[in-house]
Amino acid sequence: MKMLKTGLVATLLLSSAPVFANDSVLKATDDPKQWAIQTGDYANTRYSELNQITRENVGKLQVAWTFSTGVLRGHEGSPLVVDGIMYVHTPFPNNVYALDLANDGKILWRYEPQQNPDVIGVMCCDTVNRGVAYADGMIFLHQADTTVVALDAKSGEVKWTVQNGDPAKGETNTATVLPVKDKLLVGISGGEFGVRGHVTAYDMKTGEQVWRAYSTGPDAEMLVDPEKTMVLGKPVGADSSIKSWEGDQWQIGGGTTWGWYSYDPDLNLVYYGTGNPSTWNPSQRPGDNKWSMTIMARDADTGMAKWMYQKTPHDEWDYDGVNENILVDQEIDGQMRKLLVNLDRNGFGYTLDRETGELLVAKKYDPAVNWATEVVMDKESDQYGRPQVVAQYSTAQNGEDTNTTGVCPAALGSKDQQPASFSPKTGLVYVPTNHVCMDYEPYRVSYSAGQPYVGATLSMYPAPNSHGGMGNFIAWDATKGEIKWSLPEQFSVWSGALATAGDVVFYGTLEGYLKAIDAETGELLYRFKTPSGVIGNVMTYEFNGKQYVGVLSGVGGWAGIGLAAGLTNPNEGLGAVGGYAALSDYTQLGGQLTVFALPD
Amino acid sequence: MKMLKTGLVATLLLSSAPVFANDSVLKATDDPKQWAIQTGDYANTRYSELNQITRENVGKLQVAWTFSTGVLRGHEGSPLVVDGIMYVHTPFPNNVYALDLANDGKILWRYEPQQNPDVIGVMCCDTVNRGVAYADGMIFLHQADTTVVALDAKSGEVKWTVQNGDPAKGETNTATVLPVKDKLLVGISGGEFGVRGHVTAYDMKTGEQVWRAYSTGPDAEMLVDPEKTMVLGKPVGADSSIKSWEGDQWQIGGGTTWGWYSYDPDLNLVYYGTGNPSTWNPSQRPGDNKWSMTIMARDADTGMAKWMYQKTPHDEWDYDGVNENILVDQEIDGQMRKLLVNLDRNGFGYTLDRETGELLVAKKYDPAVNWATEVVMDKESDQYGRPQVVAQYSTAQNGEDTNTTGVCPAALGSKDQQPASFSPKTGLVYVPTNHVCMDYEPYRVSYSAGQPYVGATLSMYPAPNSHGGMGNFIAWDATKGEIKWSLPEQFSVWSGALATAGDVVFYGTLEGYLKAIDAETGELLYRFKTPSGVIGNVMTYEFNGKQYVGVLSGVGGWAGIGLAAGLTNPNEGLGAVGGYAALSDYTQLGGQLTVFALPD
Ligand SMILES: O=C(O)c1cc(C(=O)O)c2c(n1)C(=O)C(=O)c1cc(C(=O)O)[nH]c1-2
Ligand SMILES: O=C(O)c1cc(C(=O)O)c2c(n1)C(=O)C(=O)c1cc(C(=O)O)[nH]c1-2
């Protein structure tokens, strides 16, 4: 496996021919000197072919330059580098800076939107933003208030804007957008406010809406074909969502779409996950609550669902299923397969055939996971594809107003939004993980538009009987569902990983370290304490013949919400404040880019 | 001169014997491994004996570690390092962090005062703070709201607090405090609000007030002895201040005391400067406006003035006279003298005998200075010690509501609060300067407590017919009053300089560069772009055998007020916004410590 190079890179090269691929994105992401998409490539591998920085020399890494974003709180995502310009974004108010790499980072233009600060109050998990996107000479920003903005990449001029949701109803945004062909795919946040999730395609040139696919509701609104949309090898059938909810609950049923999207140009399929069903009190919403918690494969042109797979039917723990789907071509049982790898919040690492949605692997990627024993793999079983819930940890079975204790993982999952990286050289997925458990007490709540619709009290703590820390950084063999190695971390690793052809894997920590490890062995090769906790994703680019590695610091996100929002009551921040209280001994709020390089 | 070592270091060593020197400060500042006082030493030389980093190897400097302060806006002053702990302060709200150098900067304790944010509205020139002080196992903070706080240096526990002024009257603070013997000397800001300046000594153990010396008013309140207090060799005589004002104007007459203080343990004299007279409209306050704009030499025990020298009688340009007094022992005319070097805002570099107040040198340190032709040095002249004002640039002679144009320097002076450094090895003073001119239009204003009492509209621009930039970094021979060399800078150098025994001089720039230059030649040896504009002062320390250089980034201060306070109208920020508008092309708000070292 190790030496087997994924077919993906070759695939991308080939498919840059058609007019609508999107050519400009394929061209830019195919050039390892640029970092033209948040996810590194359409496949979400976050792998770079750059190999100037190697496991042999990475120990000599130095800080090359830095940039303060002028904004505090959680900095997720990463800068982009396209055509010698670096695009840096900030959390709310979502400023964008274009920095001239040829001129020591001089600010070429800036976009500083005037957003109503009320939106901060309806953002569940800090005022983060996961970055801008590039295509066709434009930079696309999806603001917290759900305004989608197209900016001229050279001048910063606003080309068009469109409103994707309504913050007054709790609809917000934290995600990046995905430019595919002539469209921009855009998600929505608000699962904690009863928002009904959807993905929307806007015309890239004009901002006009082309299609919208809801996560719940009637087939037509979900862009689901009862005959043609497949679930684990079978047609989904009519009214699959509506039947899985009581009454009209699907209308306030969550399934938001705030994660990372991927795209396979050959299959012309877009992949993303839908979030938790609303409320967090499962007793209030009997049924499987489809299609929350689902991996979706949709046709990029029409939005029609080709296949779906619900990972956590009837969620009882907020195991919000939006985590990224990494598209890799690897051998399984001696056969080359087009795979989709998903390290879900629920603690299971799934490997599926991305063409058909066939489930190939479902294994725990943290041994602490205890809410389910397994995912049934027997195709003949009526439980096929379903996790087998352990009664003791079932907040639904224990019922409302009962504190279910010791559930692992905690609501923020064995992994949250922090994206993993895949190296075709090692065949491994490098996963920033949480090692956190929780007590969870659901209570009855009533829906009111724009008000929290949570219905559970949580507290979080490090996984017991383990190394005492709240995270691990692991290497995952997705073909077997095996942890290759695991590096204990004091806090959850809330930053995205980067693997490079130099056999180095980078990630950041909540204390603020950028770490570089050996892609084979996990050996720590370099670490540097950046100004603030890192929840951004590591990226790399080359400029004037030199490889750089960049990362945003700025503690926050759900894990860092105590620091970010100045909360101190342990149960605040949906239970995260207590668990991560010790973080304030290591870092303070920030908002900085640090760029590293080897000495001249 | 070059090889002549100042007698000061030896002096300090000797004088650490007496119980009350203050011993702990002398001991700590005498150890070059520590940075125990904002000014480097009592003499304000900001010179370090550390010589691991030299002009030969400084080019290899690297960023060793970083820390985000969690606060934006202008970061002045520097961290202290005492007994293995680094103390980092922030602008308003004036947080203090104690970082464990032995444990990768882990936060040992933090002090986060709850101040009424209304004080921000009465701070003239950004919400800066110039840092904490150390003595006797305590850390002293003077908050924006004028609360003086004594903290246990190991635990952060509050030992005592005392209120030094009233923000409702426009009394605020930005300065550090000076621990001398068993007292803490504390100044006040508010010259733009008609605050009557004073220096107050508090008992270091209890916070009780011991003495207070006003800058204006009756002799008794100024702690001036008409017979014994000397001015240019003569007793000052009775009621010197009151006679120089019309009516009661001295009560709202400014002369605030927000600069850097120095102390000569042998002479037991404390030196500081008093600020501009209020208002900025000179026509409203005829007379010399004593003792605004004055270098004060006071007995550290009693506060009694030993001598005074008014640099700018009847100020017409806001040439606020608080700049630091550097105490050096150098030869003048073949004679070793105890000198005091003052690079005043008005553009003249003064050298005085610090024992007697005799004026030895007064020369322009920027050739652009045009408001006065010279300072009269003839002791027989009735103009002795007075600058000779050029009528064209006299805003008083031109009168109210007349725009006096082309005055150099601008109100922020040829140098503002940004402190210079003196190297005993080269005998030179390294001065961060402004190269800015202005138009100044005074207008009538009436006093109302807590309201701006400014009375002038300003606009600022780079000195014409020069290099186009707004600053220079110069080497100054204070014994001759000569510029040795001058390095042009695009913006004012608003950061404090550091000279070291490694023959390197460090300073920061408003764009965010830390620069290292050759102390002899001024040659640029190293530069690094820190996250935000630097208006902090460079410091150095040694830990575990390694020399470090640290500096706070965070653009702001008067020069950076446009960015810091989000102002865009060119005349806002007392005229600074327009002049420094281009700064936003280079840097954004920040608040970070960057620590540098040589590679292992
Ligand atoms: O249900 C939602 O709509 C929604 C939105 C978001 C978000 O937009 O950041 C998060 C979550 N849920 C969530 O469950 C979660 O754990 C989470 C973590 C973070 C983060 O950025 O650290 N965001 C979100
Ligand atoms: O008159 C005063 O009381 C007063 C106070 C301050 C201050 O406290 O920062 C400044 C000034 N004046 C002033 O004139 C000035 O140029 C100035 C610059 C700065 C700065 O920190 O950049 N503060 C001040």
Side-chain angles (χ1 to χ4, degrees):
Chain A
M1 186 59 55
K2 198 180 134 277
M3 279 298 117
L4 186 80
K5 206 165 144 54
T6 173
L8 199 73
V9 175
T11 305
L12 292 178
L13 279 169
L14 287 176
S15 48
S16 63
V19 173
F20 270 149
N22 173 297
D23 278 4
S24 69
V25 175
L26 284 174
K27 193 165 160 254
T29 56
D30 202 48
D31 173 4
K33 296 183 182 166
Q34 317 210 69
W35 193 264
I37 191 169
Q38 290 293 327
T39 52
D41 50 35
Y42 270 139
N44 276 33
T45 65
R46 296 174 182 276
Y47 173 77
S48 169
E49 292 285 353
L50 295 184
N51 61 6
Q52 214 176 78
I53 297 169
T54 65
R55 68 178 136 201
E56 287 75 28
N57 65 25
V58 68
K60 296 203 192 320
L61 219 56
Q62 294 187 2
V63 180
W65 60 282
T66 58
F67 177 74
S68 175
T69 68
V71 177
L72 300 174
R73 302 194 63 160
H75 281 60
E76 291 184 352
S78 77
L80 298 186
V81 168
V82 184
D83 292 342
I85 302 180
M86 177 180 278
Y87 300 94
V88 181
H89 70 284
T90 77
F92 183 92
N94 305 133
N95 298 336
V96 181
Y97 298 103
L99 309 184
D100 186 356
L101 293 178
N103 198 355
D104 240 2
K106 193 177 168 190
I107 301 171
L108 290 172
W109 56 259
R110 73 193 83 106
Y111 173 71
E112 295 172 337
Q114 300 300 319
Q115 294 183 71
N116 185 336
D118 287 351
V119 73
I120 295 171
V122 286
M123 299 183 80
C124 75
C125 310
D126 199 8
T127 55
V128 296
N129 184 287
R130 295 188 198 90
V132 294
Y134 164 84
D136 293 351
M138 287 179 280
I139 292 293
F140 301 98
L141 167 72
H142 191 180
Q143 298 176 184
D145 66 2
T146 77
T147 310
V148 184
V149 188
L151 302 163
D152 184 276
K154 294 274 179 244
S155 69
E157 186 201 332
V158 176
K159 299 289 220 181
W160 53 259
T161 69
V162 66
Q163 194 69 21
N164 187 53
D166 180 0
K169 297 187 188 140
E171 292 169 347
T172 59
N173 178 67
T174 58
T176 187
V177 297
L178 187 73
V180 174
K181 296 186 160 180
D182 56 348
K183 300 182 186 64
L184 208 60
L185 301 194
V186 173
I188 195 90
S189 291
E192 282 56 61
F193 294 80
V195 165
R196 180 181 171 211
H198 49 68
V199 167
T200 311
Y202 293 100
D203 183 290
M204 201 180 282
K205 280 219 174 57
T206 62
E208 260 170 286
Q209 183 173 322
V210 184
W211 53 257
R212 170 167 286 184
Y214 284 91
S215 305
T216 63
D219 295 338
E221 293 182 14
M222 288 199 306
L223 305 188
V224 159
D225 183 328
E227 309 298 321
K228 296 206 187 120
T229 301
M230 307 295 278
V231 174
L232 293 177
K234 297 189 182 133
V236 61
D239 297 330
S240 57
S241 169
I242 288 181
K243 282 182 195 159
S244 72
W245 293 90
E246 219 173 58
D248 276 356
Q249 282 182 339
W250 54 265
Q251 289 185 348
I252 51 168
T256 48
T257 52
W258 56 277
W260 306 99
Y261 297 16
S262 35
Y263 173 59
D264 182 327
D266 286 334
L267 301 176
N268 196 35
L269 290 178
V270 170
Y271 305 91
Y272 66 94
T274 63
N276 57 292
S278 315
T279 105
W280 289 14
N281 175 6
S283 308
Q284 260 177 275
R285 45 169 172 73
D288 274 357
N289 309 137
K290 288 172 180 167
W291 292 98
S292 70
M293 305 304 227
T294 296
I295 300 173
M296 295 277 186
R298 293 188 181 275
D299 182 279
D301 298 313
T302 62
M304 286 303 292
K306 177 154 188 222
W307 60 261
M308 311 192 282
Y309 169 60
Q310 191 181 40
K311 295 169 284 187
T312 315
H314 188 58
D315 168 59
E316 314 169 35
W317 315 268
D318 182 39
Y319 291 154
D320 195 324
V322 303
N323 286 1
E324 77 283 4
N325 299 297
I326 307 178
L327 314 185
V328 299
D329 293 2
Q330 285 188 290
E331 256 179 54
I332 286 200
D333 295 334
Q335 214 195 323
M336 221 26 206
R337 306 278 303 243
K338 287 178 188 280
L339 303 178
L340 174 154
V341 179
N342 179 281
L343 286 299
D344 191 63
R345 230 157 81 182
N346 69 16
F348 285 90
Y350 298 89
T351 307
L352 293 92
D353 181 305
R354 73 172 174 272
E355 191 160 5
T356 62
E358 181 189 350
L359 184 61
L360 303 171
V361 176
K363 293 279 187 194
K364 296 176 183 180
Y365 61 94
D366 181 353
V369 173
N370 65 10
W371 68 278
T373 51
E374 59 168 334
V375 172
V376 175
M377 300 300 286
D378 176 2
K379 293 189 179 171
E380 306 312 315
S381 166
D382 67 342
Q383 293 294 305
Y384 176 42
R386 292 181 78 98
Q388 300 301 294
V389 175
V390 175
Q392 180 187 352
Y393 302 116
S394 168
T395 74
Q397 293 175 49
N398 295 335
E400 283 174 359
D401 303 321
T402 301
N403 196 12
T404 296
T405 60
V407 189
C408 308
L412 33 68
S414 296
K415 188 179 93 62
D416 200 287
Q417 59 75 35
Q418 59 269 43
S421 176
F422 171 79
S423 166
K425 284 184 77 177
T426 62
L428 296 172
V429 184
Y430 300 95
V431 196
T433 74
N434 312 323
H435 195 52
V436 184
C437 303
M438 69 173 168
D439 304 341
Y440 189 112
E441 183 170 335
Y443 59 85
R444 194 144 286 257
V445 66
S446 61
Y447 175 81
S448 169
Q451 295 302 313
Y453 188 52
V454 177
T457 306
L458 278 67
S459 75
M460 301 184 190
Y461 37 84
N465 309 316
S466 185
H467 55 71
M470 298 176 81
N472 292 298
F473 189 82
I474 71 167
W476 178 249
D477 181 341
T479 64
K480 304 203 182 82
E482 279 175 13
I483 297 172
K484 186 103 183 253
W485 40 254
S486 175
L487 311 175
E489 283 284 350
Q490 181 170 2
F491 297 101
S492 297
V493 186
W494 212 261
S495 131
L498 168 76
T500 73
D503 300 306
V504 187
V505 177
F506 296 91
Y507 66 97
T509 76
L510 278 171
E511 302 104 305
Y513 290 103
L514 174 86
K515 293 192 176 178
I517 59 173
D518 185 313
E520 293 280 345
T521 64
E523 190 196 339
L524 182 65
L525 304 171
Y526 174 77
R527 65 172 207 173
F528 176 87
K529 187 133 191 225
T530 73
S532 179
V534 179
I535 63 169
N537 306 326
V538 192
M539 53 77 78
T540 187
Y541 66 97
E542 186 181 311
F543 188 75
N544 276 349
K546 199 169 177 123
Q547 183 183 357
Y548 294 87
V549 170
V551 71
L552 288 168
S553 302
V555 73
W558 191 5
I561 190 68
L563 272 173
L567 308 174
T568 49
N569 178 330
N571 289 122
E572 274 182 309
L574 303 170
V577 172
Y580 295 86
L583 207 45
S584 63
D585 291 345
Y586 294 89
T587 197
Q588 293 297 318
L589 293 194
Q592 299 90 8
L593 171 72
T594 309
V595 180
F596 300 82
L598 293 172
D600 286 317
Chain B
M1 183 62 54
K2 199 181 134 278
M3 280 297 117
L4 186 79
K5 204 166 142 58
T6 172
L8 198 74
V9 175
T11 307
L12 293 178
L13 277 170
L14 287 176
S15 47
S16 63
V19 173
F20 270 149
N22 169 304
D23 277 4
S24 71
V25 176
L26 283 174
K27 195 165 157 252
T29 54
D30 203 47
D31 173 5
K33 296 181 182 167
Q34 317 208 74
W35 192 264
I37 192 169
Q38 290 295 327
T39 52
D41 50 33
Y42 270 139
N44 277 32
T45 65
R46 297 177 183 272
Y47 173 78
S48 169
E49 292 285 352
L50 295 184
N51 60 7
Q52 216 177 76
I53 297 168
T54 64
R55 68 178 135 200
E56 286 77 27
N57 65 26
V58 69
K60 293 198 190 329
L61 220 54
Q62 293 187 0
V63 179
W65 60 281
T66 58
F67 176 74
S68 175
T69 69
V71 177
L72 299 174
R73 301 192 63 158
H75 280 60
E76 290 184 352
S78 77
L80 299 185
V81 169
V82 185
D83 292 342
I85 302 180
M86 177 180 279
Y87 301 95
V88 181
H89 70 285
T90 76
F92 183 92
N94 304 133
N95 297 338
V96 181
Y97 298 102
L99 308 185
D100 187 356
L101 293 180
N103 197 356
D104 238 3
K106 193 178 166 188
I107 301 171
L108 291 170
W109 56 259
R110 74 194 81 108
Y111 173 70
E112 293 171 339
Q114 299 300 320
Q115 294 184 70
N116 184 337
D118 287 351
V119 73
I120 296 172
V122 285
M123 299 184 79
C124 75
C125 311
D126 200 6
T127 56
V128 296
N129 184 287
R130 293 186 201 90
V132 295
Y134 164 84
D136 293 352
M138 285 179 281
I139 292 293
F140 301 99
L141 167 72
H142 191 182
Q143 299 176 185
D145 66 2
T146 78
T147 310
V148 184
V149 188
L151 302 163
D152 184 276
K154 294 273 179 245
S155 69
E157 187 200 333
V158 176
K159 301 288 221 182
W160 54 259
T161 69
V162 66
Q163 195 67 21
N164 186 55
D166 181 0
K169 295 188 189 139
E171 292 169 346
T172 59
N173 178 67
T174 58
T176 187
V177 298
L178 187 74
V180 175
K181 297 185 159 181
D182 56 348
K183 298 181 189 64
L184 207 61
L185 302 194
V186 174
I188 195 90
S189 292
E192 280 58 60
F193 293 80
V195 166
R196 180 183 172 209
H198 51 67
V199 168
T200 311
Y202 293 101
D203 183 291
M204 202 180 283
K205 279 216 176 55
T206 63
E208 261 171 288
Q209 182 172 322
V210 185
W211 53 257
R212 170 167 286 183
Y214 284 91
S215 304
T216 62
D219 294 338
E221 294 181 14
M222 289 198 305
L223 304 188
V224 158
D225 183 327
E227 310 298 320
K228 296 205 186 121
T229 301
M230 306 295 278
V231 173
L232 293 177
K234 296 189 181 135
V236 61
D239 297 329
S240 58
S241 169
I242 287 180
K243 283 184 197 157
S244 72
W245 293 90
E246 217 173 58
D248 277 355
Q249 281 181 338
W250 54 266
Q251 290 184 347
I252 53 168
T256 49
T257 52
W258 56 277
W260 307 99
Y261 297 16
S262 36
Y263 173 59
D264 183 327
D266 286 335
L267 301 176
N268 196 36
L269 290 178
V270 171
Y271 304 91
Y272 66 93
T274 63
N276 57 292
S278 312
T279 111
W280 289 14
N281 174 6
S283 308
Q284 260 177 274
R285 45 168 173 74
D288 273 357
N289 309 136
K290 290 174 181 167
W291 290 95
S292 70
M293 307 304 231
T294 297
I295 299 174
M296 293 279 186
R298 291 188 182 275
D299 182 279
D301 298 314
T302 63
M304 287 303 294
K306 180 156 187 218
W307 60 261
M308 310 191 284
Y309 168 60
Q310 190 181 41
K311 295 168 284 187
T312 315
H314 188 59
D315 167 59
E316 313 169 36
W317 314 268
D318 182 40
Y319 291 154
D320 194 325
V322 303
N323 287 359
E324 77 282 4
N325 299 297
I326 307 177
L327 314 184
V328 300
D329 294 1
Q330 285 188 290
E331 255 180 53
I332 287 202
D333 294 333
Q335 213 194 324
M336 220 27 205
R337 304 280 300 245
K338 287 177 188 281
L339 302 179
L340 174 153
V341 179
N342 179 283
L343 286 299
D344 192 62
R345 228 155 87 178
N346 70 16
F348 284 89
Y350 298 89
T351 306
L352 293 91
D353 182 304
R354 72 173 174 271
E355 193 160 3
T356 62
E358 181 189 349
L359 183 61
L360 303 172
V361 176
K363 292 278 184 196
K364 296 178 184 178
Y365 61 95
D366 182 351
V369 173
N370 64 11
W371 67 278
T373 51
E374 57 166 337
V375 172
V376 174
M377 301 301 286
D378 175 4
K379 294 190 180 171
E380 307 312 316
S381 166
D382 67 343
Q383 293 296 305
Y384 177 41
R386 293 180 77 99
Q388 301 301 293
V389 174
V390 175
Q392 179 186 354
Y393 302 116
S394 168
T395 75
Q397 293 176 48
N398 294 337
E400 284 172 1
D401 303 319
T402 302
N403 196 11
T404 297
T405 59
V407 188
C408 308
L412 32 69
S414 296
K415 188 179 92 63
D416 199 287
Q417 59 75 36
Q418 59 269 44
S421 176
F422 171 78
S423 166
K425 282 182 79 177
T426 60
L428 296 173
V429 184
Y430 301 94
V431 196
T433 74
N434 310 326
H435 195 53
V436 185
C437 303
M438 68 175 169
D439 303 341
Y440 190 111
E441 181 168 338
Y443 59 86
R444 194 145 286 257
V445 66
S446 62
Y447 175 81
S448 169
Q451 296 303 314
Y453 187 53
V454 177
T457 305
L458 276 67
S459 74
M460 301 186 189
Y461 38 83
N465 309 318
S466 185
H467 55 72
M470 298 177 82
N472 292 298
F473 189 83
I474 71 167
W476 177 248
D477 181 341
T479 63
K480 304 205 183 82
E482 279 175 13
I483 298 171
K484 188 100 182 253
W485 40 254
S486 176
L487 311 176
E489 283 282 351
Q490 181 170 3
F491 296 101
S492 296
V493 186
W494 212 260
S495 133
L498 168 75
T500 74
D503 299 308
V504 186
V505 177
F506 296 91
Y507 66 97
T509 76
L510 279 172
E511 302 103 305
Y513 289 103
L514 174 85
K515 293 191 176 180
I517 59 173
D518 185 314
E520 293 281 343
T521 63
E523 189 196 341
L524 181 66
L525 304 171
Y526 174 77
R527 68 173 206 171
F528 176 86
K529 185 132 194 224
T530 73
S532 178
V534 179
I535 63 169
N537 307 325
V538 192
M539 53 79 78
T540 187
Y541 67 96
E542 186 180 311
F543 188 74
N544 277 350
K546 200 171 175 115
Q547 183 183 357
Y548 294 87
V549 171
V551 72
L552 287 169
S553 304
V555 72
W558 191 3
I561 190 66
L563 271 173
L567 309 174
T568 48
N569 178 329
N571 289 121
E572 276 183 305
L574 303 169
V577 171
Y580 295 86
L583 208 44
S584 63
D585 291 345
Y586 294 90
T587 196
Q588 292 298 316
L589 292 195
Q592 299 91 5
L593 171 71
T594 309
V595 180
F596 300 80
L598 294 172
D600 285 317

